[in-house]
């Protein structure tokens, strides 16, 4: 949906935000990343955060592993603020406060606090150098597995007392200062004094408004298309809907004050909700535009906040089609949105084709937001006939359930957990057949990639327990048999040109190894991190498909892939994207751009990658590997940032015919 320009920037700066958790957790949410695990619960009038794992599997104590956050607020440049919280723990541990950009970019970090057994208030004073239009208050509870109790969180302008200052709008623990006033719409008749609020409303929609009337005796909402078809007037003791009058209880609201409105249309029925509970049915459901204002001559209202989104059905019907086409607003390219449901939908990864080998089907996995239970789905390549293949357990926002096609296109592999007939829990690789839904489970086998050329699985083993397999790179036949150790991690480390740094690594092992397109070789990647999670080692090695002729190729920074010719590889380095021959010779820079997940078109003539900063931020771009020329392909606005657990990485992936690219996007609120 589209808001009018002056409404789209409508905002109010924060005066005071406070919560004591006495009755409920309010709008605070637990957020986990880097593989962390934790639980959040109300306990004795406060919030208890109980981490159970930090940065699994290496259990490194990152500060941002576990945190709770509240909805975004807006802060003013030059205004001093105080962010304070009461904390306690079972034993000494560290916690801190932070303000994170709601769009995933930038953060203000406060000091670390040494939390102990007794309750204590901790305070952080700061003054933003520039306006912060949307920041998320956070309490960081990583670092340690000890539970952390949180109470009395307050973020407020310095010097604010117990009463809202003049001109401030107070709603419980949230006090706001309006900064944008919506001007009256210059029209006559039934639209006089109104502002064109929103247009292009979808068939099912929910729109929230927070409005301050600043003394106006009434508020008018008009629904229609090119012109009005229904007027709703909210006056002192009644709501007038068309010709019908509905009485308002005395405690409902008072004329001239602030109030919230919700317009909702679902399944062909429309309702208006004033405040939290006062709801009236609207006699018309066919409208695409909304106007807002007052009938009082010369008076205006303030729109404090305005947000709206499309309502989606609660379930995805088998055989559904969610396809919709549009033009990219930046490049004009034709975009086809293939999925559009309440579920987060993920294709596996930028180097795992979601298309079946013959290009006729697309595989992806789905889970409702915040849930691990998932479905493995397929659709026809044109986005029609979505249907579920199997249930899965272990959906992650980075790669879903990491599904991959078998070479013949008749079955799909995926990672999941399951319970056997004795009730014992297992985690591993499953394989489902398209024709009859038959599922096979493979224990003791991994699946990082399936080679369509040599017909073998590939995976890494990095465990160090007594019963863990020897660390290294493994392959197996398609049915999980004939398991072979191709390369030992110890042998790879022995070849490393940075061996002197390995002693500084808190963890070191293999990651994202890949078969060459022709199946004759394998790319082996060694990575090592220090205790703070900083990357110290990242190196590419190449060996034959049987593990022989293992040799070092190059160091790099992130995200690597084979050229379709199986003779070269590319990788992002600190100063650009580089290509190198499989024997380590001929290294050269392709472009200064070193971002995202680069991959070659099937004929090797073009590279696509996603960008997250600089000139091409939030875009997919094409790179000519010969000239280095960069061409913007489409915009991919980021909503939730790029954290593996909470955000969406586009992971652009080429179609087998090289004519289109599939990618993930959360630009409409969750991953599609």
């Amino acid at each position: 949906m589209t808001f009018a320009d002056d409404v789209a920037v409508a905002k109010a700066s924060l005066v005071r935000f406070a919560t004591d958790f006495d009755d409920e957790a309010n709008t605070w949410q637990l957020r986990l990343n880097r593989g962390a695990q934790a639980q959040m619960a109300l306990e004795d009038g406060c919030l208890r955060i109980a981490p159970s794992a930090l940065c699994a599997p290496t259990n490194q104590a990152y500060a941002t592993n576990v945190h709770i956050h509240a909805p975004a607020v807006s802060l003013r440049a030059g205004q001093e603020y105080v962010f304070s919280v009461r904390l306690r723990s079972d034993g000494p541990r560290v916690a801190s406060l932070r303000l994170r950009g709601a769009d995933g970019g930038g953060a203000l970090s406060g000091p670390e606090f040494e939390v102990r057994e007794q309750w204590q208030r901790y305070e952080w004073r700061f003054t933003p150098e520039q306006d912060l239009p949307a920041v998320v208050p956070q309490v960081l509870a990583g670092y340690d597995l000890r539970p952390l109790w949180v109470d009395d969180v307050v973020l407020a302008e310095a010097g604010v007392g117990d009463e809202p200052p003049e001109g401030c709008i107070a709603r419980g623990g949230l006090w706001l200062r309006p900064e944008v006033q919506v001007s009256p719409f210059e029209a006559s008749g039934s639209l006089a004094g109104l502002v064109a609020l929103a247009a292009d409303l979808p068939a099912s929609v929910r729109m929230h408004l927070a409005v301050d009337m600043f003394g106006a005796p009434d508020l008018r909402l008009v629904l229609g298309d090119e012109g009005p078809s229904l007027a709703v007037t909210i006056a002192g003791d009644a709501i007038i809907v068309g010709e019908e009058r509905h009485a308002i209880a005395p405690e409902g609201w008072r004329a001239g004050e602030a109030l919230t409105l919700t317009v909702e249309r679902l399944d062909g029925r429309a309702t208006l909700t004033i405040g939290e509970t006062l709801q009236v049915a609207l006699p018309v459901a066919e409208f695409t535009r909304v106007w807002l204002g007052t009938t009082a001559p010369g008076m205006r209202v303030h729109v404090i906040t305005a947000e709206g989104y499309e309502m989606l059905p609660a379930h995805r019907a088998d055989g559904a089609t969610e396809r919709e086409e549009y033009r990219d607003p930046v490049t004009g390219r034709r975009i086809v949105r293939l999925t559009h449901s309440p579920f987060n939908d993920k294709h596996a990864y930028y180097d795992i084709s979601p298309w079946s080998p013959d290009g006729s089907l697309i595989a992806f996995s789905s889970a409702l937001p915040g849930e691990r239970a998932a479905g493995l789905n397929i659709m026809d390549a044109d986005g029609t006939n979505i249907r579920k293949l199997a249930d899965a357990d272990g959906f992650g926002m980075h790669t879903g359930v990491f599904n991959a096609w078998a070479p013949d296109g008749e079955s799909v592999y995926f990672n999941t957990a399951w319970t056997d007939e004795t009730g014992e829990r297992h985690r591993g690789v499953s394989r489902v057949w398209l024709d009859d839904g038959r599922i096979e489970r493979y224990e003791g086998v991994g699946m990082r990639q399936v080679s369509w050329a040599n017909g073998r699985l590939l995976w890494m083993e990095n465990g160090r327990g007594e019963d863990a397999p020897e660390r290294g790179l493994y392959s197996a036949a398609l049915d999980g048999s004939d398991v072979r150790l191709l390369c030992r991690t110890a042998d790879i480390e022995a070849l490393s040109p940075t061996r002197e740094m390995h002693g500084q690594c808190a963890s070191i092992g293999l990651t994202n190894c890949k078969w060459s397109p022709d199946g004759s070789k394998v790319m082996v990647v060694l990575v090592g991190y220090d205790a703070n999670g900083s990357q110290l080692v990242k190196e590419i090695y190449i060996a034959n498909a049987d593990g022989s002729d293992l040799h070092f190729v190059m160091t790099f920074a992130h995200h690597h892939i084979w050229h379709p010719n199986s003779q070269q590889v590319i990788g992002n380095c600190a100063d650009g994207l580089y290509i190198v021959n499989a024997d380590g010779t001929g290294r050269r820079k392709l472009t200064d751009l070193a971002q995202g997940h680069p991959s070659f078109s099937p004929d090797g003539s073009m590279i696509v990658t996603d960008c997250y900063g600089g000139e091409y931020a939030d875009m997919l771009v094409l790179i000519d590997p010969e000239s280095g020329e960069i061409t913007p392909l489409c915009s991919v606005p980021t909503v939730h940032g790029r954290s593996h657990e909470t955000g969406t990485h586009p992971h652009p992936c080429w179609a087998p015919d090289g004519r289109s690219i599939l990618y993930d996007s959360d630009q409409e609120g969750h991953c599609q």
Side-chain angles (χ1 to χ4, degrees):
M1 61 177 291
T2 305
F3 282 108
D5 290 342
D6 50 0
V7 175
V9 298
K11 62 180 180 178
S13 64
L14 178 76
V15 176
R16 183 175 184 268
F17 166 79
T19 181
D20 57 14
F21 306 112
D22 280 347
D23 300 315
E24 56 179 342
N26 296 59
T27 52
W28 288 87
Q29 297 180 2
L30 178 66
R31 282 287 180 261
L32 307 172
N33 56 15
R34 300 183 186 271
Q37 299 177 31
Q39 291 184 328
M40 180 175 78
L42 287 168
E43 186 175 288
D44 298 328
C46 60
L47 203 61
R48 181 178 184 268
I49 312 299
S52 56
L54 299 176
C55 196
T58 55
N59 213 39
Q60 296 173 5
Y62 286 104
T64 58
N65 273 340
V66 178
H67 54 270
I68 57 172
H69 76 203
V73 296
S74 296
L75 308 181
R76 295 189 298 172
Q79 170 67 53
E80 184 182 16
Y81 292 91
V82 180
F83 192 178
S84 65
V85 61
R86 291 180 67 236
L87 302 170
R88 79 168 182 86
S89 180
D90 283 339
R93 57 114 72 224
V94 174
S96 64
L97 302 176
R98 185 173 69 175
L99 296 167
R100 181 74 176 174
D103 61 357
L108 291 178
S109 296
E112 294 183 350
F113 306 121
E114 185 74 21
V115 182
R116 298 187 178 275
E117 291 87 345
Q118 301 300 316
W119 282 106
Q120 182 175 338
R121 177 164 290 281
Y122 302 89
E123 181 178 287
W124 169 35
R125 288 179 175 264
F126 63 95
T127 303
E129 296 181 357
Q130 59 186 12
D131 286 344
L132 302 175
V135 292
V136 174
Q138 295 181 323
V139 178
L140 303 186
Y143 307 92
D144 199 300
L145 292 179
R146 292 182 180 88
L148 181 72
W149 281 264
V150 182
D151 201 5
D152 295 329
V153 182
V154 180
L155 174 59
E157 293 180 352
V160 170
D162 295 331
E163 296 295 328
E166 185 176 351
C168 172
I169 300 163
R171 289 184 188 80
L174 181 63
W175 301 352
L176 300 172
R177 180 177 286 110
E179 296 181 358
V180 174
Q181 179 171 297
V182 176
S183 301
F185 187 66
E186 297 297 333
S188 59
S190 59
L191 295 180
L194 305 183
V195 62
L197 182 70
D200 303 325
L201 299 182
S204 298
V205 64
R206 176 177 290 159
M207 180 168 59
H208 292 298
L209 306 173
V211 181
D212 195 289
M213 299 176 65
F214 279 91
D218 62 31
L219 187 74
R220 171 160 283 203
L221 195 71
V222 174
L223 313 175
D225 293 308
E226 294 303 318
S229 57
L230 178 68
V232 180
T233 303
I234 306 169
D237 60 353
I239 304 173
I240 303 169
V241 182
E243 301 297 325
E244 294 188 11
R245 183 183 181 90
H246 303 265
I248 301 177
E251 68 272 13
W253 77 298
R254 288 179 293 180
E257 292 189 343
L259 76 162
T260 58
L261 305 174
T262 302
V263 178
E264 181 174 302
R265 176 172 57 197
L266 184 64
D267 296 331
R269 293 176 293 178
T271 57
L272 171 66
T273 304
I274 297 95
E276 299 296 326
T277 59
L278 184 58
Q279 187 176 92
V280 294
L282 300 177
V284 298
E286 299 295 328
F287 55 89
T288 60
R289 297 173 182 265
V290 176
W291 293 265
L292 179 72
T294 177
T295 64
M299 301 197 76
R300 299 181 177 185
V301 298
H302 286 242
V303 176
I304 303 163
T305 59
E307 64 177 5
Y309 52 90
E310 185 173 0
M311 297 285 285
L312 297 172
H315 303 285
R316 168 178 278 147
D318 192 55
T321 297
E322 299 163 2
R323 172 189 170 118
E324 181 179 334
E325 293 191 23
Y326 64 96
R327 291 286 173 178
D328 184 82
V330 177
T331 67
R333 297 268 190 173
R334 184 171 68 96
I335 309 296
V336 181
R337 185 184 62 195
L338 298 178
T339 70
H340 186 45
S341 77
F343 294 82
N344 284 317
D345 296 320
K346 301 285 297 184
H347 78 84
Y349 205 43
Y350 75 108
D351 60 354
I352 305 292
S353 177
W355 278 274
S356 57
D358 65 2
S360 65
L361 300 171
I362 293 174
F364 65 99
S365 57
S366 300
L368 290 171
E371 293 192 5
R372 303 278 287 173
L376 173 62
N377 307 284
I378 59 171
M379 67 173 84
D380 295 348
D382 63 357
T384 62
N385 195 21
I386 299 172
R387 61 268 195 200
K388 182 190 287 188
L389 279 181
D391 291 316
D393 187 332
F395 183 93
M397 277 303 297
H398 191 42
T399 56
V401 298
F402 213 86
N403 44 273
W405 287 93
D408 59 8
E410 295 180 359
S411 59
V412 180
Y413 295 86
F414 60 103
N415 292 326
T416 187
W418 66 89
T419 303
D420 65 20
E421 60 276 4
T422 68
E424 185 176 356
R425 194 72 170 156
H426 303 268
R427 176 166 291 280
V429 177
S430 293
R431 182 184 186 185
V432 58
W433 270 261
L434 274 61
D435 58 355
D436 58 6
R438 174 170 51 95
I439 294 178
E440 288 186 358
R441 313 287 193 188
Y442 305 134
E443 282 201 83
V445 171
M447 192 277 298
R448 168 57 185 81
Q449 201 176 41
V450 182
S451 173
W452 292 356
N454 66 27
R456 292 189 66 86
L457 309 178
L458 185 75
W459 73 97
M460 300 79 63
E461 294 285 1
N462 289 310
R464 293 183 180 274
E466 289 185 7
D467 298 328
E470 184 172 1
R471 288 160 51 85
L473 182 65
Y474 287 76
S475 79
L478 295 175
D479 62 0
S481 64
D482 189 28
V483 175
R484 302 176 188 175
L485 173 58
L486 302 181
C487 306
R488 293 176 172 82
T489 302
D491 295 337
I492 299 164
E493 291 183 52
L495 292 176
S496 172
T498 61
R499 288 187 297 277
E500 71 282 356
M501 300 179 64
H502 292 189
Q504 305 172 39
C505 294
S507 65
I508 190 166
L510 304 184
T511 184
N512 285 347
C513 301
K514 310 175 195 288
W515 290 118
S516 62
D518 66 2
S520 66
K521 301 180 183 66
V522 63
M523 188 193 314
V524 190
V525 178
L526 182 71
V527 61
Y529 297 94
D530 67 14
N532 295 319
S534 297
Q535 182 176 288
L536 300 180
V537 177
K538 194 73 175 285
E539 298 165 351
I540 291 176
Y541 300 78
I542 288 178
N544 293 328
D546 61 1
S548 63
D549 191 26
L550 175 69
H551 56 275
F552 169 79
V553 173
M554 74 169 182
T555 60
F556 72 118
H558 64 94
H559 296 109
H560 49 292
I561 201 168
W562 283 95
H563 190 289
N565 63 19
S566 297
Q567 300 301 314
Q568 296 169 295
V569 297
I570 57 173
N572 285 310
C573 299
D575 63 338
L577 178 64
Y578 282 78
I579 190 168
V580 64
N581 294 329
D583 62 4
T585 64
R587 174 170 167 155
R588 68 180 177 92
K589 183 190 287 189
L590 300 179
T591 172
D592 291 335
L593 186 69
Q595 295 189 22
H597 306 77
S599 64
F600 281 96
S601 58
D603 64 1
S605 66
M606 199 64 65
I607 295 170
V608 68
T609 192
D610 45 332
C611 300
Y612 42 81
E615 180 181 358
Y616 304 106
D618 290 340
M619 297 199 74
L620 302 186
V621 300
L622 296 174
I623 302 171
D624 186 322
E626 296 301 321
S627 67
E629 180 182 357
I630 298 173
T631 303
L633 182 63
C634 67
S635 56
V636 188
T638 302
V639 174
H640 294 303
R642 301 186 185 276
S643 162
H644 289 182
E645 297 305 315
T646 62
T648 294
H649 295 216
H651 292 158
C653 197
W654 291 91
D657 62 8
R659 297 177 60 190
S660 60
I661 288 167
L662 184 142
Y663 63 97
D664 295 329
S665 174
D666 65 9
Q667 64 196 60
E668 295 191 34
H670 67 285
C671 190
Q672 300 172 344

